[in-house]
Each structure stands twice: as structure tokens, then as C-alpha cells.
């Protein structure tokens, strides 16, 4: 059994920089520890109906020779929550049948890779004693006195004690007599046994608004709430006035709160929800609250208000500010109303035009687009007579300071067509960025040093050739009053290469040298329903690409060298994305490319991916998200993987695996064997085994094939179409012992057909059997296709 444990399933491959397919990597072996342990909430046959059951499923250690069984301890009375090993006294307590806080699970040696512990009866008293969760410690025991692996531990949750993620109100706009706030429904974990269950129902939100002036009465302010379900301006359906969510006596409820004259400067609201986070449509999680009737600020007085919000799940867990009088002010959000006149904005965004594509914005070599707009102004009186069109027209005699003032900042946002919402550019807009002004002459923008220029500029970064940008720019005056939005669309030039190549839909034009040009899919390949194709064999990925019909092109799985050169972008990049952010490279590939985060949800959803993980040609997510099958550098090479994925590979350098030049090979561990002659040399009582004759030493014996007593069973590995896609092998004794059911545990959905037996000499070592890459598949592996001109 010891040789066929596929113990490195979680570690797909060994990563390295060499060009040869035969280079080895470091092995990471945990051969005396249980692995793949998890908590199951399922009952054994005969359990009374209504019982809540808990089991632990685990995989036996890789080395089962001399494995006696598993010591298990509950709580921290015997083994604390930090120890990596245990002593003889603690082990003895696990064997003591009178100790209810520990037990010993003897090794069954049944031929199965896995075992299950039914803990239901053993932990009932912990549940009855009111435990929220219980620590379970496990340690493998061996009879040969060798050093076992380290302690393994997990925690069994009994209750929903996880609060929703923190929700913060975002001040979207403030005006002279009101403010609008928005937030997004938080995620809530209701089942700690299922890490992906983050869409627990949210009961609602406590909102408390108070005025710094205790004489101001805000109890009857006009409130309009917009929820994903609808609009409520009267407090009859989606919100309640003078109310608060509370948790008391093991129940959560909505209660009325005092709102007498002594508390007239407070307004309490409960916004009702009842739904869980919608991962498919992010915009359907958005809430907005409009509050009107506040006092207008003036030059001498700024009226101050404070708002606080907390979110509550159905179990009464809360996050965010509790919004009561003891809440520190810095845990809440201050509101300052504005003056009475909003700033003015023009109605059009201008760009530098591309000569190849008239009407399209020119993209520079760093994938940036310069945008220009006529500067905003803030009138200081109502009868200003300033006109707003594509530019701001200021009449004669209307001077800076007497008729208008310059605005303090701009907010620049883009519309995401996937999640149907606006997002602010973190690097654009803001204060003190617009001191240089421009004039527009003959459709070109030039810096104006005379002081007469009125246009200002900003830079939009990480733009792909051929993109369409929908932008929203708002100016904000000194009091915080937002202008009406300037909304405009920018059509970005696809570039000369795109004009020349005319790639199929979904592909972008790429160039790897002065003479080599082809098309590559912008994202990893997706099926007809838009979902990414993962968990496919290398041969299936190849066939999928070759089945794509594109006039004038031959489509195939991308070649390894082509993929690598596109990622390197002519040698200017190391990781396949534009490296021009203030953050470190490691932060970039982790935060924007989803490298080694274990976030499979972001990998699966285009709407959750970040545009900053893009190379200059517009190809997305070369590092991170999914590893990608590519064609090897020669016809007889094993299948190769490029790029890192969202998975965490323990013990590996996460940054190194993201290099464009890195390559990986999935493998299974198999016993090393030889069919050549084996030469035995004796030195005293020690016998050395070598496989090449050594004329400098005294020969003790020579073993040939007729002396070999070990036998391997070989198999043809067959895919769903009946095609032989590779060869695998195992010890013949294990095949005879386990039969077909045992083979099925190895097949991963394929068919293992016994083909031949061979007498061999086992060396006692293991090797990385890379031929397994032909029949390896994983949910973290995808691919992308390339299209080449015929």
C-alpha cells in the first residue's frame, strides 16, 4: 500500500526554472501523518432521527508499515492548542478506556486509503455543556519506535458564532440639506464546516444618526431606503424608524427604542434584509439610504452629524459599530453638510485621437489613456450666468473669487459592465493633481503657460487595446458638494497589430518577435455558457482548441514557448502583468492576480478579477487564477503547466511559481524499479546494491531478471472516448489484493485496464512518475487557445 498513496495530490507539481523536461524538484514528504482530514456532519445507520452527528474523515499516513493507529484527544485538558508533539503520558491516556476525553482508533488495515471516526456519542456532553466549538487533536502511533509526524488538529463548530464581515457606510454624496450613503450586503459564514458557505442570510442593519447640536431635532428627517428588493420612503416595508436590532435571551429581534424629546438629536433606523450575499450579481447586494432635512452649512458654521452602522445575521452575531452612545467617534463616520450651490461640470471627455482609428483614443506604450475635460468651477452666487456644455462658458466680468471658486478635487470612476456598478479609480482624481492646465489646438492638447488654458488631464492606467471605457467624473467643492456627473464613453484604439491580424472573437493580437504574430485568448478558455473550462485532461484541452473554427486561422492549444514569450512581453516583464504600481510585486500578484490565495471563487468569476493583472497586449491573468495546460516544446515531451494558480502550494516559494519562465509537471509517486542486472558488494556485514558494475570493488553477487522476486502490474489508462492516453503501474500484490474496486480509487474517473506484468527489482526508493501528467486533471488547471494565421 505504501507506494500507491497519491500523497502529493495537494502539491500539483515541482516548480523550477530549467528548460529540460527531466529536471527534478524538491520533494515534500509527510509520510507519518494523517492527511486530508475533515469534519462531516452525517450520521451512522441506526442513529435516532433528529440527532446532530459529527464524524472525522481522514487519509491514512503514507507509510503504513508498523502503523498502529491514531490517538485522539478532545478539548485542551490533555493536549493544549499549540503543541506539535505529545509525550508518553498523553499517549497512555488515549489508550485508557476510562478517559472520556480521549481514545485510540486501531489501524484496520482493510485495504482502504481512508478511515472515519464517529464522534457523535463521545462529544455529546461537550454540546450539552454549552461549548461553541471543540478542539480535536490527532497523532499517529507507530510500533517501530520511529519518529511519527507532527500533531494534527481541527475544530468542530457547534453553533453559528461567526459575525458577518464588517460593513461600512460609503458616503457617496452630500448636499446642502442631506446625504446619501451606500453599502454592500456583507458575507456571512453560517457553516464553518463548509468554507465556501459565505452567503448566510443577513437579518438587517442598525443605523444611528446623531447631531452634534443636542438642540437639533432630527427624529422626523425624510428617509428613503433603496434595497435590492425595492424602494421605501415611508418606513412601511424595508425599514423601520425608531427601532433597533437586539440580541437577548438567546434570541434576536427588532425592538422599538426611546425617541422622546431628551433624545431628539438621535435617529435610529433598522434597514431590513433577509437575503444572503449574491456572488453572481454583486450589484444586487447594494443598499442606499437617502437622508434629507439636515441643516445647510454656511461660511461661519459647519453642521456636524455622525452615522454608525452594524450588520446582524439570523443568529444574532453582529459586526461593525454598535451605534450607541458609548461608541468611539472614530469608529463611526462624520457628516458635514455643504453650502447651497453645487459646482458645475462640462458634459464631454476628450482624448488624443489615434491616427489609425479616427475617433478612437490613442493608447500609449504603457497601456495608458490620457483624458481631458474642461475644468469645473463652483459658483458662489445663484445668478452667476455660467453655462455648462462640452466646456464651461464663463461670462465676462465673472471673476475667480467674486463669481466662482475653483473646485477642491475630482472623483473619477469607471462603470463595470460585469457587476453593473461604478468603481472609483484609486490612482486618479483627488486633490492637488490639476495645477497644470491645457489648451486644445487643432484637435491636440498642449500645456498652456499663459494661464488661459482651461482643460485639465488625468491618466487611466491598465487599459487593454480595443477597450471601451465608460467613465464618470464629478467635482467636489470645498464644502463637499458634488457636481452633477460628467458621464462619457471612451473607445480605445485596438492598435496596428489588431488591425493587421483581425483576430477571432475573444482573442487578442500578440507578437513575440519582429516576425512572429498570432492571436491568443484574452482569458483562459471558457465554455459556451461562459464558465471557465477546468478539470480537463491535457488531451481534452488540446482537442477543445483544435475544434474551434476560425476563418483564416488554425486554432490549437498554446505552445509553451509562445505562452512564455507573450507573458514576458519581449523580455520587459517577469510575471505577465504591467509592473508600474506603487505596491510591491508580491502584493501585486497576490492582490490582483489571485496567486496562492486559495480563492477559487474569484478564479471562477470574471467579474471578480482585477484588470491590473494584464500584460501590455491585453492578455489577462497569465499568473494566478488557473494554471494552464500548454503544448510541450517537443512532440514527445510530457504535458506542461504554465503560470501559477489560486491554490496554495505549501513549502513552495509563491513568488517563484508566478514567473513567466516557470514550468510545472504534475506527477504521481510510484516505486522506483530496475530490470537491469543488480550488483551486490559486501563490506563486512554491510551489502551495497548498485546497478552498474564497479571494477574497483569486490563483487559479492549478481542478480539478473530470473532472480527478481518483485512484480509490477502495468495498466493502459483509457479516457471517456476509449482512447489510451498513458500508462501507469502498481505493485502486482496490491492489484491482486484490491481488485477492480481498488483500481477505481486510482482512476480519477478514467479506466485502468491491466496490460502486462513484469518481474522487477524494487530499489526501495520512490520516483516522480511524470507520465501521469497525461491523465492528470484538477479543478485548479485550465488552458487557453492560440490562433495562428494559415
Amino acid at each position: 500500500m505504501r507506494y500507491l498513496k497519491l500523497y502529493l495530490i495537494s502539491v500539483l507539481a515541482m516548480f523550477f526554472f530549467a528548460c529540460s523536461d527531466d529536471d527534478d524538484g524538491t520533494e515534500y514528504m509527510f509520510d507519518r501523518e494523517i492527511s486530508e482530514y475533515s469534519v462531516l456532519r452525517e450520521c451512522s445507520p441506526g442513529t435516532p432521527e433528529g440527532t446532530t452527528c459529527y464524524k472525522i474523515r481522514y487519509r491514512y499516513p503514507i507509510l503504513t508499515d508498523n502503523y498502529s493507529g491514531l490517538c485522539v484527544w478532545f478539548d485542551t485538558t490533555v493536549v493544549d492548542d499549540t503543541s506539535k508533539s505529545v509525550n508518553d503520558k498523553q499517549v497512555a491516556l488515549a489508550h485508557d478506556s476510562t478517559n472520556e476525553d480521549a481514545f485510540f482508533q486501531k489501524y484496520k488495515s482493510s485495504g482502504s486509503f481512508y478511515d472515519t471516526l464517529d464522534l457523535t456519542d463521545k462529544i455529546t456532553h461537550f454540546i450539552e455543556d454549552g461549548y461553541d466549538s471543540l478542539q480535536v487533536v490527532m497523532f499517529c502511533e507507530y510500533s517501530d519506535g520511529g519518529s511519527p509526524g507532527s500533531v494534527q488538529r481541527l475544530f468542530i463548530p457547534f453553533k453559528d458564532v461567526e459575525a458577518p464581515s464588517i460593513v461600512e457606510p460609503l458616503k457617496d454624496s452630500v448636499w446642502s440639506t442631506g446625504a446619501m450613503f451606500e453599502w454592500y450586503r456583507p458575507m456571512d459564514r453560517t457553516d464553518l464546516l463548509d468554507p465556501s458557505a459565505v452567503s448566510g442570510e443577513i437579518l438587517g442593519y442598525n443605523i444611528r444618526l446623531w447631531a452634534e447640536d443636542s438642540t437639533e431635532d432630527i427624529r422626523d428627517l425624510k428617509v428613503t431606503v433603496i434595497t435590492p428588493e425595492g424602494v421605501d420612503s415611508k418606513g412601511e416595508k424595508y425599514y423601520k424608524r425608531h427601532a433597533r436590532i437586539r440580541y437577548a435571551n438567546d434570541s434576536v429581534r427588532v425592538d422599538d427604542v426611546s425617541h422622546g424629546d431628551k433624545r431628539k438629536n438621535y435617529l435610529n433606523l433598522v434597514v431590513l434584509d433577509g437575503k444572503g450575499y449574491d456572488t453572481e450579481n454583486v450589484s444586487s447586494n447594494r443598499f442606499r439610504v437617502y437622508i434629507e432635512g439636515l441643516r445647510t452649512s454656511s461660511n461661519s458654521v459647519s453642521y456636524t452629524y455622525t452615522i454608525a452602522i452594524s450588520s446582524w445575521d439570523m443568529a444574532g452575531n453582529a459586526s461593525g459599530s454598535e451605534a450607541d452612545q458609548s461608541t468611539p467617534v472614530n469608529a463611526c463616520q462624520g457628516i458635514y453638510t455643504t453650502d447651497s450651490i453645487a459646482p458645475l461640470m462640462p458634459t464631454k471627455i476628450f482624448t488624443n485621437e489615434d491616427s489609425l482609428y479616427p475617433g478612437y483614443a490613442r493608447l500609449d506604450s504603457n497601456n495608458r489613456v490620457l483624458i481631458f475635460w474642461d475644468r469645473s468651477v463652483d459658483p458662489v452666487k445663484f445668478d452667476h450666468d455660467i453655462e455648462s456644455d462640452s466646456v464651461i462658458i464663463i461670462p465676462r466680468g465673472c471673476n475667480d473669487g467674486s463669481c466662482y471658486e475653483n473646485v477642491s478635487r475630482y472623483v473619477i470612476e469607471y462603470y463595470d459592465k460585469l457587476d453593473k456598478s461604478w468603481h472609483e479609480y484609486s490612482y486618479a482624481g483627488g486633490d492637488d493633481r490639476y495645477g497644470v492646465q491645457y489648451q486644445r489646438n487643432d484637435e491636440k492638447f498642449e500645456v498652456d503657460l499663459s494661464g488661459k488654458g482651461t482643460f485639465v488631464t488625468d491618466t487611466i492606467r491598465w487599459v487593454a487595446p480595443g477597450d471601451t471605457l465608460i467613465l464618470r467624473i464629478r467635482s467636489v467643492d470645498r464644502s463637499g458638494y458634488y457636481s452633477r456627473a460628467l458621464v462619457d464613453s471612451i473607445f480605445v484604439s485596438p492598435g496596428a497589430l489588431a488591425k493587421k491580424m483581425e483576430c477571432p472573437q475573444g482573442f487578442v493580437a500578440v507578437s513575440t518577435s519582429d516576425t512572429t504574430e498570432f492571436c491568443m485568448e484574452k482569458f483562459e478558455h471558457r465554455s459556451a455558457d461562459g464558465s471557465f473550462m477546468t478539470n480537463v485532461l491535457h488531451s481534452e484541452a488540446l482537442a477543445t482548441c483544435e475544434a474551434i473554427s476560425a476563418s483564416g486561422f488554425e486554432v490549437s492549444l498554446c505552445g509553451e514557448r509562445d505562452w512564455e514569450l507573450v507573458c514576458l512581453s519581449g523580455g520587459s516583464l517577469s510575471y505577465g502583468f504591467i509592473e508600474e504600481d506603487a505596491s510591491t510585486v508580491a502584493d501585486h500578484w497576490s492582490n490582483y492576480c489571485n496567486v496562492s490565495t486559495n480563492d477559487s471563487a474569484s478564479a471562477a468569476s470574471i467579474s471578480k478579477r482585477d484588470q491590473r493583472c494584464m500584460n501590455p497586449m491585453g492578455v489577462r491573468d497569465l499568473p494566478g487564477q488557473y494554471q494552464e495546460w500548454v503544448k510541450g516544446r517537443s512532440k514527445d515531451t510530457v504535458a506542461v503547466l504554465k503560470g501559477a494558480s489560486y491554490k496554495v502550494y505549501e513549502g513552495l516559494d509563491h513568488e517563484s511559481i508566478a514567473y513567466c519562465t516557470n514550468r510545472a509537471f504534475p506527477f504521481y509517486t510510484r516505486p522506483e524499479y530496475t530490470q537491469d542486472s543488480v550488483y551486490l558488494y559486501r563490506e563486512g556485514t554491510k551489502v551495497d546494491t548498485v546497478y552498474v558494475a564497479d571494477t574497483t570493488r569486490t563483487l559479492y553477487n549478481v542478480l539478473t531478471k530470473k532472480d527478481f522476486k518483485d512484480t509490477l502490474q502495468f495498466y493502459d489508462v483509457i479516457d471517456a472516448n476509449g482512447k489510451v492516453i498513458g500508462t501507469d503501474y502498481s505493485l502486482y500484490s496490491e492489484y491482486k489484493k484490491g481488485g477492480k474496486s481498488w483500481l477505481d480509487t486510482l482512476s480519477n474517473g478514467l479506466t485502468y485496464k491491466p496490460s502486462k506484468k513484469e518481474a522487477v527489482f524494487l530499489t526501495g526508493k520512490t520516483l516522480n512518475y511524470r507520465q501521469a501528467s497525461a491523465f492528470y486533471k484538477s479543478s485548479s488547471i485550465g488552458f487557453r487557445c492560440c490562433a495562428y494565421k494559415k
Side-chain angles (χ1 to χ4, degrees):
M1 293 295 296
R2 63 183 290 186
Y3 296 110
L4 287 169
K5 309 295 186 183
L6 307 184
Y7 63 95
L8 290 180
I9 292 296
S10 63
V11 180
L12 260 182
M14 297 300 103
F15 296 83
F16 50 87
F17 296 104
C19 293
S20 169
D21 287 340
D22 299 322
D23 283 359
D24 293 326
T26 306
E27 301 290 346
Y28 298 89
M29 301 178 66
F30 309 95
D31 50 6
R32 288 197 171 201
E33 299 172 0
I34 64 168
S35 61
E36 300 179 29
Y37 43 87
S38 59
V39 180
L40 309 176
R41 193 182 287 113
E42 63 179 35
C43 296
S44 300
T47 304
E49 188 175 350
T51 305
T52 301
C53 303
Y54 294 92
K55 294 181 179 180
I56 293 178
R57 182 178 185 269
Y58 64 93
R59 192 182 188 107
Y60 287 128
I62 297 159
L63 297 182
T64 54
D65 292 350
N66 301 307
Y67 172 58
S68 302
L70 189 67
C71 297
V72 182
W73 299 270
F74 301 125
D75 203 10
T76 56
T77 55
V78 179
V79 181
D80 62 28
D81 55 1
T82 59
S83 298
K84 296 296 183 183
S85 60
V86 292
N87 56 41
D88 292 342
K89 182 179 179 181
Q90 292 167 317
V91 171
L93 287 172
H95 287 271
D96 183 355
S97 60
T98 64
N99 183 7
E100 65 176 2
D101 291 341
F103 70 95
F104 180 74
Q105 176 85 353
K106 187 176 181 181
Y107 177 45
K108 300 175 182 177
S109 189
S110 62
S112 171
F113 293 159
Y114 295 90
D115 199 358
T116 303
L117 307 176
D118 190 341
L119 307 181
T120 303
D121 294 337
K122 301 179 186 298
I123 65 177
T124 300
H125 70 282
F126 290 103
I127 301 174
E128 293 173 347
D129 290 343
Y131 275 57
D132 291 333
S133 63
L134 179 68
Q135 174 186 262
V136 181
V137 179
M138 296 162 288
F139 189 72
C140 294
E141 184 176 293
Y142 282 81
S143 60
D144 62 355
S147 176
S150 64
V151 161
Q152 309 292 307
R153 55 169 50 82
L154 51 73
F155 292 86
I156 302 177
F158 300 140
K159 299 178 181 178
D160 176 10
V161 295
E162 289 287 306
S165 56
I166 292 178
V167 58
E168 297 179 356
L170 304 174
K171 185 170 63 176
D172 186 75
S173 62
V174 180
W175 58 96
S176 57
T177 58
M180 188 274 277
F181 298 88
E182 72 175 21
W183 69 91
Y184 284 80
R185 176 184 290 125
M187 292 186 176
D188 180 47
R189 287 188 62 182
T190 58
D191 188 352
L192 299 186
L193 301 183
D194 183 1
S196 64
V198 293
S199 299
E201 292 182 354
I202 303 298
L203 174 62
Y205 311 88
N206 278 340
I207 296 178
R208 176 169 290 191
L209 178 75
W210 66 91
E212 187 174 288
D213 181 359
S214 60
T215 67
E216 184 178 355
D217 189 345
I218 66 170
R219 292 171 293 180
D220 295 322
L221 292 177
K222 181 180 178 182
V223 175
T224 301
V225 173
I226 302 177
T227 78
E229 303 301 313
V231 180
D232 185 356
S233 59
K234 297 182 179 180
E236 297 176 346
K237 190 172 184 180
Y238 299 120
Y239 80 92
K240 292 182 179 295
R241 192 184 292 261
H242 311 310
R244 184 181 176 192
I245 301 172
R246 300 180 189 271
Y247 181 79
N249 301 323
D250 293 328
S251 65
V252 59
R253 60 181 183 269
V254 177
D255 286 345
D256 293 334
V257 296
S258 172
H259 55 284
D261 287 343
K262 291 183 178 180
R263 298 184 59 78
K264 64 183 179 181
N265 61 321
Y266 282 83
L267 174 62
N268 289 86
L269 305 172
V270 169
V271 177
L272 302 172
D273 191 346
K275 296 292 182 68
Y277 188 85
D278 187 342
T279 58
E280 298 299 320
N281 184 6
V282 176
S283 62
S284 67
N285 300 299
R286 184 173 61 194
F287 289 77
R288 286 182 172 177
V289 172
Y290 289 83
I291 299 174
E292 300 177 74
L294 305 175
R295 291 182 181 176
T296 301
S297 69
S298 65
N299 292 331
S300 59
V301 179
S302 292
Y303 289 102
T304 305
Y305 304 88
T306 305
I307 190 169
I309 182 171
S310 59
S311 58
W312 293 71
D313 68 13
M314 294 296 187
N317 303 305
S319 64
S321 166
E322 284 302 294
D324 59 21
Q325 289 177 305
S326 64
T327 302
V329 172
N330 60 8
C332 309
Q333 183 169 327
I335 309 169
Y336 300 90
T337 54
T338 73
D339 61 32
S340 57
I341 305 177
L344 302 175
M345 274 293 287
T347 58
K348 181 175 175 58
I349 297 174
F350 297 86
T351 63
N352 289 319
E353 192 172 82
D354 189 292
S355 58
L356 281 176
Y357 289 87
Y360 285 72
R362 187 169 68 241
L363 189 67
D364 72 11
S365 59
N366 291 315
N367 288 69
R368 301 174 177 179
V369 170
L370 291 179
I371 59 173
F372 301 85
W373 66 95
D374 199 51
R375 67 186 176 95
S376 171
V377 296
D378 180 33
V380 296
K381 56 184 181 180
F382 283 100
D383 55 346
H384 51 71
D385 294 328
I386 301 173
E387 298 179 14
S388 179
D389 203 326
S390 59
V391 296
I392 303 292
I393 302 173
I394 301 175
R396 291 185 179 183
C398 186
N399 299 316
D400 184 3
S402 63
C403 182
Y404 66 88
E405 294 178 345
N406 291 321
V407 297
S408 62
R409 63 189 178 95
Y410 294 93
V411 177
I412 304 178
E413 300 162 297
Y414 68 93
Y415 184 72
D416 191 318
K417 289 174 283 189
L418 294 172
D419 67 17
K420 300 178 181 178
S421 61
W422 293 96
H423 301 273
E424 184 175 348
Y425 286 117
S426 60
Y427 56 83
D431 307 321
D432 302 324
R433 292 172 54 88
Y434 304 99
V436 178
Q437 294 184 347
Y438 294 77
Q439 277 189 348
R440 187 166 183 248
N441 296 318
D442 298 327
E443 305 299 322
K444 295 181 181 179
F445 289 90
E446 300 172 347
V447 175
D448 185 275
L449 301 178
S450 67
K452 297 180 180 179
T454 60
F455 283 90
V456 292
T457 186
D458 214 319
T459 304
I460 307 301
R461 298 156 61 184
W462 294 289
V463 180
D467 272 356
T468 297
L469 306 177
I470 303 175
L471 302 181
R472 180 170 74 174
I473 306 176
R474 291 177 292 172
S475 62
V476 187
D477 68 17
R478 266 186 266 176
S479 71
Y481 207 156
Y482 281 66
S483 70
R484 294 185 64 178
L486 157 56
V487 179
D488 206 354
S489 296
I490 306 299
F491 301 98
V492 181
S493 168
L497 185 59
K499 192 176 186 70
K500 175 182 177 182
M501 294 295 294
E502 296 183 351
C503 292
Q505 185 174 0
F507 289 72
V508 295
V510 296
S511 174
T512 56
S513 71
D514 292 339
T515 58
T516 305
E517 300 159 344
F518 55 96
C519 303
M520 177 182 277
E521 286 191 289
K522 184 174 184 177
F523 293 94
E524 300 97 317
H525 187 75
R526 291 180 287 166
S527 58
D529 65 0
S531 59
F532 288 101
M533 290 187 65
T534 64
N535 207 37
V536 296
L537 300 170
H538 183 270
S539 57
E540 292 172 333
L542 182 63
T544 299
C545 290
E546 291 178 348
I548 295 175
S549 177
S551 178
F553 290 90
E554 290 183 357
V555 184
S556 71
L557 190 64
C558 293
E560 179 185 356
R561 189 60 175 162
D562 288 339
W563 191 101
E564 185 172 298
L565 290 174
V566 170
C567 183
L568 289 168
S569 295
S572 62
L573 303 180
S574 299
Y575 304 94
F577 55 75
I578 301 167
E579 300 169 30
E580 61 150 300
D581 203 347
S583 62
T584 65
V585 170
D587 287 339
H588 195 111
W589 50 248
S590 177
N591 294 339
Y592 308 139
C593 296
N594 198 22
V595 173
S596 298
T597 66
N598 268 347
D599 185 358
S600 59
S602 291
S605 173
I606 285 184
S607 66
K608 293 182 180 181
R609 296 189 177 193
D610 198 294
Q611 63 185 7
R612 282 169 282 193
C613 193
M614 177 183 70
N615 82 345
M617 290 173 274
V619 182
R620 295 278 297 273
D621 304 305
L622 290 167
Q625 308 299 2
Y626 296 113
Q627 280 189 298
E628 299 179 30
W629 285 123
V630 294
K631 291 192 297 186
R633 295 172 182 170
S634 60
K635 290 184 178 180
D636 58 348
T637 189
V638 294
V640 180
L641 291 168
K642 297 292 287 184
S645 81
Y646 65 83
K647 286 189 67 175
V648 172
Y649 300 100
E650 298 294 346
L652 299 178
D653 180 352
H654 298 165
E655 183 171 358
S656 296
I657 66 176
Y659 277 113
C660 294
T661 51
N662 188 42
R663 57 213 305 255
F665 309 94
F667 64 84
Y668 292 138
T669 301
R670 294 291 183 260
E672 184 180 75
Y673 69 92
T674 184
Q675 291 180 305
D676 296 331
S677 298
V678 179
Y679 299 87
L680 304 179
Y681 298 93
R682 181 184 294 278
E683 183 178 348
T685 60
K686 181 181 179 182
V687 176
D688 289 338
T689 303
V690 296
Y691 313 113
V692 178
D694 186 348
T695 58
T696 65
R697 303 176 65 184
T698 302
L699 182 65
Y700 171 69
N701 198 4
V702 179
L703 302 180
T704 61
K705 195 166 185 176
K706 63 182 176 59
D707 304 304
F708 296 162
K709 301 186 182 302
D710 302 310
T711 305
L712 293 180
Q713 176 67 56
F714 289 83
Y715 314 95
D716 289 333
V717 182
I718 303 171
D719 66 13
N721 297 318
K723 180 181 178 181
V724 176
I725 57 174
T727 301
D728 201 0
Y729 67 91
S730 70
L731 294 178
Y732 178 71
S733 59
E734 298 209 335
Y735 165 64
K736 291 298 291 182
K737 182 179 179 180
K740 184 179 184 305
S741 60
W742 176 79
L743 272 183
D744 289 342
T745 64
L746 300 182
S747 64
N748 196 21
L750 301 170
T751 300
Y752 271 48
K753 181 180 180 181
S755 58
K756 63 179 179 179
K757 298 192 296 289
E758 291 283 353
V760 300
F761 182 86
L762 296 178
T763 68
K765 302 177 182 178
T766 60
L767 57 80
N768 298 343
Y769 187 58
R770 285 188 181 169
Q771 282 72 12
S773 63
F775 42 93
Y776 191 95
K777 54 185 179 179
S778 166
S779 58
S780 67
I781 297 177
F783 62 96
R784 72 179 79 209
C785 306
C786 287
Y788 303 89
K789 282 277 191 181
K790 291 183 179 179

